[in-house]
Amino acid sequence: MSKRSRNRRRDDALTRVIAVVNDKGGVGKTSVAANLAGQFAGAGYRCLLIDLNRQANLADDLGFRGSDVDDRGAGLLGSVIAGTPLTPAVDVRPGLDVVCGGARLEDLTPVMVSRLQHHGREAFRVLGDVLAPVAVDYELVFVDCPPESTILTDLALAAARWVLMPTRSDVGGLVGMTLVADRFALAREINARLRLLGVVLFGTGTRSTAVHGEVRSAVEKAFGGNSPWFETTIRHAERSAQDARRLGKLAHELEIAAAAQPAWWEALRMDITAPRLSPTAAGVAGDYRALGVEVLTALQSAEENERDDDRRGAAGPA
Ligand SMILES: Nc1ncnc2c1ncn2[C@@H]1O[C@H](COP(=O)(O)OP(=O)(O)O)[C@@H](O)[C@H]1O
Ligand SMILES: [Mg+2]
């Protein structure tokens, strides 16, 4: 196979890889990646989640930390070193597979530093190389990126087709966005297909149009005018976020569990002392559903435009 058709095949395999990125921690990257992937899997899409975090919060959100499938990043590290396809943990939820993160990813940074010295920025393509043979089995792939870790985020940006950026509305969140924009521009030198899918405002307690406008103008300043933007915001719901990490359940799973719990007076009568689940999970789950619809619509319309461009290209100049 020629290099050109090999590259084309690689690009096609990676066409629905979405990196969830922001250089700032605590802006919702892991929550958004886990909940979108979990909801899409629940709706029948084959999904893969890749965790590039040493802390592996995804293992908490999905409730598999310390279980047999949790390799703490060893599989991902091994694949990158050997150049062999990733081996995801299968069916962490029905239809949802996971490439685990964890402490073993510590060793990835020195490996990459040495490769960068020998091969320059092209070395970042390795994650796409080991992902492409596996990605063909999935309809959607989400990469949960770490905060403030240049090399691991650069690996994700070199593999992904799309960037989805959650942000909070505070100043710190907005600074993180500018850093991502710089890194995004650099990544496009080796991954010209990389695009911003959209920015989503996370954990917001306000419907204030002034605040939303402020964030929006920060996005446009960082990424240029007409930057895509999701209308859906993920509401601030601290108690349901705590339930999620404590129980290893996604918002829509908490929604079902909260609806099934006995009324508080019945729980009292039955002497049930377990803490009650917050009913706000239903609202959060609804936000993720709305975001999922927007994400899918954005992907489909971008793909349609691309097909039109291809057809026009094949037809040649009029
Ligand atoms: N809807 C929400 N409202 C408020 N806090 C939330 C919500 N969802 C998650 N959180 C909490 O916000 C914090 C940051 O979320 P996380 O997804 O881990 O961000 P990041 O991956 O960017 O560091 C976590 O403590 C998480 O439990
Ligand atoms: Mg995280």
Side-chain angles (χ1 to χ4, degrees), residues 32 35-36 39 200-205 207 230-237 240 251-252 255 280-295:
V32 166
N35 279 282
L36 283 183
Q39 287 209 351
V200 59
L201 198 50
F202 175 84
T204 175
R207 293 195 169 275
F230 294 113
E231 290 300 326
T232 306
T233 60
I234 307 300
R235 75 192 61 189
H236 183 81
S240 88
H252 69 286
E255 177 186 26
T280 52
V284 179
D287 292 343
Y288 283 120
R289 268 192 287 277
L291 180 62
V293 170
E294 276 198 77
V295 164

Side-chain angles (χ1 to χ4, degrees), residues 87-111:
T87 48
V90 176
D91 279 343
V92 168
R93 295 290 191 278
L96 174 61
D97 298 351
V98 177
V99 173
C100 301
R104 296 300 311 280
L105 296 184
E106 297 276 354
D107 296 340
L108 202 49
T109 303
V111 169

Side-chain angles (χ1 to χ4, degrees), residues 8 300-318:
R8 173 85 203 212
Q300 283 167 347
S301 100
E303 285 163 2
E304 223 158 84
N305 288 341
E306 215 162 81
R307 274 194 295 273
D308 285 349
D309 287 348
D310 281 352
R311 269 196 292 272
R312 267 197 293 274

Side-chain angles (χ1 to χ4, degrees), residues 74-87 115 126 130:
L76 177 52
L77 175 69
S79 284
V80 168
I81 291 174
T84 48
L86 293 168
T87 48
R115 289 193 185 177
V126 63
V130 299

Side-chain angles (χ1 to χ4, degrees), residues 22 24-33 35 53 55 57 61 144-147 166 168 202-204 234-242 244-245 284 287-288:
N22 192 321
K24 182 98 171 53
V27 295
K29 294 180 291 294
T30 301
S31 304
V32 166
N35 279 282
N53 292 270
Q55 284 167 355
N57 287 132
D61 284 2
D144 179 22
C145 291
R168 290 197 190 249
F202 175 84
T204 175
I234 307 300
R235 75 192 61 189
H236 183 81
E238 211 155 314
R239 265 198 61 207
S240 88
Q242 282 166 2
R245 265 195 192 161
V284 179
D287 292 343
Y288 283 120

Side-chain angles (χ1 to χ4, degrees), residues 79-83 110-120 123 126:
S79 284
V80 168
I81 291 174
V111 169
M112 286 308 300
V113 167
S114 144
R115 289 193 185 177
L116 285 163
Q117 278 163 358
H118 289 98
H119 308 288
V126 63

Side-chain angles (χ1 to χ4, degrees), residues 34-89:
N35 279 282
L36 283 183
Q39 287 209 351
F40 279 126
Y45 291 87
R46 292 273 311 142
C47 290
L48 177 66
L49 257 174
I50 301 177
D51 187 359
L52 291 185
N53 292 270
R54 282 164 291 196
Q55 284 167 355
N57 287 132
L58 211 52
D60 301 320
D61 284 2
L62 288 164
F64 65 81
R65 188 181 292 281
S67 74
D68 289 351
V69 302
D70 184 5
D71 70 11
R72 299 186 305 128
L76 177 52
L77 175 69
S79 284
V80 168
I81 291 174
T84 48
L86 293 168
T87 48

